Amino acid sequence: MLKRLIAGALALFLTAGTATAQEVVVFAAASTTNAISDIARLFEAEGRGRVVASFAASSTLAKQIEQGAPAHLFLSADVKWADYLADEGLIETSTRCDLLGNRLALVAPADSAVALTMATGVDVAGVLGDGRLATGDPDHVPVGGYAKQALESLGVWHDIEPRLARADSVRAALAMVERGEVPLGIVYSTDAAVSAKVRTVALFPADSHAPVVYPLAVVAGGVPAQARAFYDFLKSPAAAAVFRRYGFQVND
């Protein structure tokens, strides 16, 4: 897992390193891939500059920023990694805002007939049979951390932990379910919504885990005017409409 994270971080660094002075470099949680890509196209269509986005687990992105990657904006899938960069003085804390919210979902391949209700003692292990449950690595990836909290709250973490297929991002976990490599996965509801190859079995109770929050901030050290313009655009009604279309909760 560590080797994959390092390799992914290096790839992100090299990608971001090719950006020109006129380009906005956004490091954003993998779950925002579709929405941020659409919003970037809207921004570019207005002639306001090109946006280069790198998508990965928030932990990978934060560590890459710490190592000097030339990112201008950071959009995390949890507060932990925004706090991490704030503690290191690597984001402008005055620009930090909780931009979005999301829900945690149990998903299965689209042709699966699995039915479960997310309540205390739910028999996820029984449904898995000899298979595994895909989600982000709880030690590194926000969705995995939320999944661990939820499964602990429902009293089934002890049974599920040895059965995890630990992915390096939420989209990697989603892909495992899409390919039928695992019978179940835990992703965000927005990830499930963009795939025709999975279906949502159930949403986890909102109080079974910490709220899924997406902090946005400007990276410290000086950023171009276009980056601040895109930061403002991400908080605009036009961007909010895109986020809502993909199922995100938009914090006003």
Side-chain angles (χ1 to χ4, degrees):
M1 174 57 69
L2 180 58
K3 290 181 179 179
R4 290 200 299 272
L5 287 173
I6 292 173
L10 179 59
L12 288 170
F13 182 87
L14 293 175
T15 299
T18 64
T20 70
Q22 289 73 43
E23 292 172 333
V24 179
V25 182
V26 180
F27 276 19
S31 53
T32 67
T33 298
N34 301 75
I36 291 295
S37 297
D38 284 2
I39 293 167
R41 283 190 284 270
L42 290 176
F43 185 79
E44 292 169 0
E46 293 184 2
R48 304 178 69 182
R50 181 168 179 262
V51 177
V52 177
S54 290
F55 302 104
S58 302
S59 56
T60 300
L61 299 170
K63 289 288 188 178
Q64 193 60 26
I65 290 171
E66 182 182 36
Q67 294 168 19
H72 299 143
L73 305 179
F74 178 55
L75 179 58
S76 175
D78 71 357
V79 299
K80 173 182 177 180
W81 293 104
D83 289 345
Y84 180 88
L85 291 183
D87 291 344
E88 297 296 319
L90 294 174
I91 59 173
E92 296 182 9
T93 55
S94 63
T95 66
R96 178 174 172 175
C97 63
D98 292 340
L99 186 67
L100 305 169
N102 212 335
R103 292 292 303 274
L104 200 64
L106 183 74
V107 297
D111 60 358
S112 169
V114 169
L116 285 172
T117 299
M118 293 296 100
T120 301
V122 59
D123 189 19
V124 177
V127 171
L128 287 175
D130 295 330
R132 291 182 173 270
L133 183 147
T135 194
D137 185 341
D139 294 331
H140 303 285
V141 183
V143 72
Y146 294 124
K148 179 181 179 180
Q149 292 173 13
L151 294 171
E152 285 178 333
S153 175
L154 299 178
V156 297
W157 171 249
H158 179 77
D159 295 330
I160 300 303
E161 182 182 12
R163 313 284 298 282
L164 289 182
R166 297 170 180 249
D168 57 13
S169 75
V170 68
R171 288 299 173 92
L174 179 69
M176 290 184 197
V177 185
E178 289 178 324
R179 294 191 296 262
E181 296 174 1
V182 295
L184 293 173
I186 298 177
V187 298
Y188 300 118
S189 62
T190 53
D191 296 295
V194 298
S195 175
K197 297 180 180 179
V198 307
R199 68 177 184 85
T200 298
V201 176
L203 295 177
F204 284 84
D207 61 359
S208 67
H209 56 85
V212 180
V213 176
Y214 289 72
L216 169 69
V218 174
V219 176
V223 302
Q226 294 97 326
R228 295 190 185 277
F230 189 61
Y231 167 86
D232 291 335
F233 193 68
L234 287 171
K235 299 193 294 178
S236 71
V242 175
F243 284 127
R244 289 193 176 100
R245 187 169 74 241
Y246 282 104
F248 288 96
Q249 302 156 13
V250 179
N251 297 324
D252 298 322

